[in-house]
């Protein structure tokens, strides 16, 4: 079996810094210098983190015993605590130096637990209501069981992505079309209404011109007659408030 050839030093530099020039010896010298600077900076951060963890472990003998037991013996956290800490040592009573902090921390934990339980309860109820709404919607639209499965896959894919704060172009297209639907319908309605007004205006002008110029037929009524306002268009209630009602 042929041994895999390891990329050369310059190829590795090109791969690490694809945006840097990589033609001349001077280019590679600059890349090498940057690599050394980056490596030293990264090692410095590692050393700082290691020191912070070491100082934390050394700050409390009980904590150190638990961590050492977990690292050296492979004990789980619960077992290491049971082996190295007396439960009574974790309790605080009024008068202890850190009693207020202990009480606050305990209350925070209990509050988090209560919120988590309430959230799970709401999620369970939402799931029941959402499932019923989905079934009712499919029945209303005449969606078959096979179509329902496909429809549900689309919904679940979107929800799964949102759960991890991830969206794709297909999801954006779907949301964009939904966000533009009301505007498209309103624009179409406005265009139709304007066209209707223009037709009525032209008819009114033609009638007025006929009355002023005469067409051999006597005018009925006095000259002060005004054209009756057209009846107000019936607006779809779903789009009421999108635009002001207009008259000419």
């Amino acid at each position: 079996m042929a041994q895999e050839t390891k990329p050369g030093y310059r190829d590795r530099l090109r791969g690490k810094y694809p945006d840097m020039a990589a033609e001349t010896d001077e280019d590679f010298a600059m890349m090498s210098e940057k690599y050394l600077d980056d490596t030293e900076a990264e090692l410095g951060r590692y050393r700082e983190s290691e020191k912070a963890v070491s100082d934390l472990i050394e700050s409390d003998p009980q904590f150190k015993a638990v961590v050492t037991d977990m690292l050296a013996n492979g004990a789980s956290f619960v077992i290491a605590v049971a082996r190295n800490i007396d439960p009574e040592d974790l309790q605080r009573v009024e008068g202890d130096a850190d009693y207020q902090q202990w009480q606050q921390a305990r209350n925070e934990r209990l509050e988090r637990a209560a919120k988590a339980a309430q959230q799970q309860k709401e999620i369970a109820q939402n799931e029941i209501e959402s499932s019923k709404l989905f079934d009712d919607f499919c029945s209303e639209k005449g969606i078959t069981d096979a179509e329902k499965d496909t429809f549900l896959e689309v919904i679940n894919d979107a929800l799964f992505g949102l759960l991890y704060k991830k969206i794709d172009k297909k999801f954006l297209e779907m949301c964009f079309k939904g966000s533009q639907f009301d505007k498209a319908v309103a624009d179409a309605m406005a265009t139709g209404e304007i066209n209707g007004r223009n037709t009525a205006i032209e008819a009114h002008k033609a009638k007025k011109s006929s009355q002023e110029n005469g067409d051999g037929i006597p005018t009925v009524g006095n000259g002060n007659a005004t054209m009756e306002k057209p009846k107000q268009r019936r607006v779809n209630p779903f789009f009421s408030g999108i635009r002001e009602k207009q008259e000419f």
Side-chain angles (χ1 to χ4, degrees):
M1 182 176 178
Q3 185 176 3
E4 184 178 353
T5 303
K6 187 175 181 179
Y9 178 69
R10 291 194 170 189
D11 289 335
R12 292 165 67 185
L13 285 176
R14 287 192 187 99
K16 187 171 182 61
Y17 303 109
D19 297 331
M20 293 185 66
E23 300 294 336
T24 65
D25 290 343
E26 184 178 353
D27 291 338
F28 284 103
M30 293 179 64
M31 295 171 73
S32 298
E33 186 174 352
K34 179 171 176 53
Y35 176 73
L36 289 174
D37 290 341
D38 291 347
T39 301
E40 289 177 355
E42 187 173 6
L43 287 175
R45 289 192 295 270
Y46 286 150
R47 293 190 187 98
E48 289 177 0
S49 298
E50 182 181 10
K51 184 176 185 306
V53 172
S54 178
D55 291 345
L56 179 63
I57 292 174
E58 293 293 338
S59 67
D60 189 298
Q62 289 180 315
F63 181 57
K64 180 179 180 179
V66 170
V67 173
T68 301
D69 197 357
M70 294 176 67
L71 292 174
N73 304 321
S76 68
F77 174 73
V78 173
I79 298 302
V81 169
R83 183 162 25 229
N84 295 279
I85 300 178
D86 188 332
E88 292 185 0
D89 292 342
L90 300 177
Q91 300 294 320
R92 292 293 183 271
V93 296
E94 195 167 357
D96 289 342
D98 56 355
Y99 173 74
Q100 295 295 334
Q101 290 178 302
W102 175 86
Q103 187 178 47
Q104 181 179 353
R106 178 176 178 277
N107 290 340
E108 289 174 357
R109 176 178 58 80
L110 294 176
E111 184 177 350
R112 286 197 305 270
K115 286 183 177 180
Q118 178 62 28
Q119 187 179 50
Q120 290 300 317
K121 182 179 179 180
E122 291 178 4
I123 290 174
Q125 183 61 33
N126 289 342
E127 185 176 3
I128 295 173
E129 294 176 359
S130 297
S131 296
K132 183 179 184 305
L133 177 62
F134 177 79
D135 289 338
D136 292 345
F137 181 85
C138 290
S139 298
E140 177 186 337
K141 300 297 182 182
I143 298 175
T144 65
D145 288 343
E147 294 171 335
K148 185 186 294 186
D149 291 339
T150 302
F151 185 28
L152 193 58
E153 286 180 6
V154 174
I155 296 174
N156 284 336
D157 286 345
L159 293 178
F160 184 80
L162 291 176
L163 180 64
Y164 287 88
K165 297 184 178 181
K166 180 180 180 181
I167 59 177
D168 54 22
K169 188 173 181 180
K170 182 171 65 175
F171 177 79
L172 291 176
E173 289 283 0
M174 179 179 67
C175 293
F176 179 74
K177 289 178 181 178
S179 68
Q180 296 297 306
F181 179 76
D182 286 358
K183 181 179 183 300
V185 173
D187 289 345
M189 292 175 65
T191 300
E193 194 168 274
I194 291 172
N195 291 338
R197 287 204 306 272
N198 290 339
T199 300
I201 290 172
E202 292 300 325
H204 175 57
K205 287 181 178 179
K207 180 179 178 180
K208 184 176 181 181
S209 176
S210 175
Q211 291 174 344
E212 291 176 349
N213 297 330
D215 55 5
I217 301 176
T219 301
V220 179
N222 58 49
N224 296 326
T226 58
M227 185 181 67
E228 180 183 356
K229 290 183 179 180
K231 292 182 179 179
Q232 179 65 47
R233 288 178 176 272
R234 183 177 181 182
V235 181
N236 188 325
F238 291 110
F239 304 104
S240 61
I242 290 180
R243 65 184 185 282
E244 297 292 330
K245 294 182 175 63
Q246 298 176 337
E247 297 178 351
F248 63 85

